[in-house]
Every structure is written in C-alpha cells, then in structure tokens.
Amino acid sequence: MAEGTRTPGRREGVPPGARRPLAHGTHRAPPRRVRRSAAMSDAAAALGVDHLSPENPLAEAEVVTPHIPNGPGTRHLISDAEFARMKPGAVLVDTARGGVIDATALVRALDAGCLGGAGLEVLPEECLIRSEAQIFRSDPLLDSERLRGLLEGRALLHFPDVVVTPHNAYYTEGALRRIRETTLGNVEVFARRGSRNLVSYSGTPA
C-alpha cells in the first residue's frame, strides 16, 4: 500500500471471541459472546467509539483485526467464508498469531481483489521462512502441512498490497520500559523469597 490511511473514523471489526481494547476514533464490532453493559457503552461514548451490529460486523468493518491466541478452537478463524462476508476494500490486520488466519484463503481473497490489503505482523510457519537451500538441507524434510504454511507465507510476502512486519510490533519505548521494570521487580521480590507474575503452562499453543 503506497499511502497510509488514518485510523480515526474507520470501522474496526473484532471477530467473535477476540479481545481488543477500544481505540479512540474507531467503531468497534464487539464479540457476540460479550453482553454490552451500560458502563461499557458509556466508556465507548467517552472515547468517541460506537458499536457496529454484532450480527454481521464483518460486512460493516473497514478494518478487521483478531486479537486471540492460536489454538484448536481459533485456528483459521478467518477463512473463505469470512472473507466473502467482508466489506469490499476492507483491510485485514493480524498482530495475533499466523494460524488464526487461513493464509490460503487470504491469498485467494487478495488475488481476487476482494480486500483493500492486509497488514501482517505474523505469518504461518514464519520461523521456517528462509532460503530454499536451507529448507532442502534440513533433515528430515518438512512435512506437507508445514511446507504448505511456508509457501503461503512466501506468497504473501510478494503481494504489493500486503505489508509484513517482522513480528516486532511490541518493540516500543513504553513496552521496553515495562519489560525492564517488571523484570527488575520480579528479581527484587524473588530476592526477598517471594514471587509474583507467576505463569502456568497448560499445554495450549499461545
């Protein structure tokens, strides 16, 4: 995309089940499973945000962005059927996980001109994107599913209306400051034989 577009006033759709903070000057399509309270509506109004119809937010949103972990229940959450319901010229922004988007369906939608473009912070099998020589030197060779994901990612890199960033959207001055403060705080608490910010792993992909 040669020219950028401003966020204020654009309609942003968040697929059902996704988590997303309200953004100033945007219109948000809330997840279907969330019942909007009066307090939520008041907070949205104070931020200049209105809500789209929960029945078919994809048809109204100008920007669709999922914010959910990748797992069995969310893999390929956005696929051919969802792209078909999107507003013509809509933009997909994925800063969550590559597996949430069906990359083959995304390639088809872009190739057909159904989307205005895509901004991708993540890609399927992004850790495998490397030179062909490196792929064939691997032992054993990639299985068919992982090889397909690799090819999807490489195809998306060549679309002129797709912007891909190297999985570093978090890399801001504020984020780095919070990382330093949190890390130092954890060490100080641990030195006093305490604990905080404990993380338990359930085995579900992030």
Side-chain angles (χ1 to χ4, degrees):
M1 291 180 285
E3 297 182 2
T5 55
R6 297 181 62 209
T7 298
R10 299 188 69 81
R11 293 178 177 268
E12 178 185 88
V14 182
R19 299 188 299 271
R20 179 71 165 88
L22 294 176
H24 177 69
T26 63
H27 309 262
R28 183 189 182 200
R32 294 187 187 187
R33 68 181 65 179
V34 176
R35 297 186 63 182
R36 191 162 67 247
S37 65
M40 290 174 62
S41 297
D42 291 344
L47 291 170
V49 175
D50 64 340
H51 288 88
L52 304 183
S53 165
E55 284 71 31
N56 193 11
L58 294 178
E60 300 180 52
E62 294 169 309
V63 179
V64 175
T65 174
H67 291 259
I68 50 178
N70 182 35
T74 59
R75 180 170 175 76
H76 292 177
L77 177 72
I78 298 181
S79 190
D80 288 295
E82 287 69 34
F83 286 125
R85 294 204 303 272
M86 284 187 192
K87 184 177 182 177
V91 174
L92 173 73
V93 176
D94 184 12
T95 60
R97 290 291 185 267
V100 172
I101 307 296
D102 182 345
T104 299
L106 175 56
V107 169
R108 284 194 286 262
L110 289 165
D111 192 53
C114 300
L115 296 180
L120 306 174
E121 165 74 353
V122 288
L123 291 171
E125 302 296 347
E126 60 187 48
C127 61
L128 297 177
I129 296 179
R130 61 192 73 166
S131 71
E132 285 80 358
Q134 287 178 298
I135 295 170
F136 287 107
R137 281 199 300 267
S138 63
D139 186 26
L141 290 176
L142 301 177
D143 60 49
S144 59
E145 183 176 354
R146 300 195 75 192
L147 183 59
R148 180 188 181 93
L150 172 61
L151 293 174
E152 291 168 343
R154 292 184 69 86
L156 289 169
L157 289 172
H158 296 288
F159 273 95
D161 46 1
V162 173
V163 174
V164 179
T165 54
H167 208 147
N168 67 343
Y170 78 95
Y171 198 78
T172 64
E173 181 179 347
L176 294 177
R177 182 176 62 253
R178 287 193 296 273
I179 290 173
R180 290 193 298 268
E181 292 172 350
T182 300
T183 301
L184 290 173
N186 289 344
V187 172
E188 290 172 352
V189 172
F190 182 77
R192 296 194 297 269
R193 299 185 182 277
S195 61
R196 73 173 189 177
N197 297 322
L198 297 179
V199 177
S200 60
Y201 178 61
S202 64
T204 302

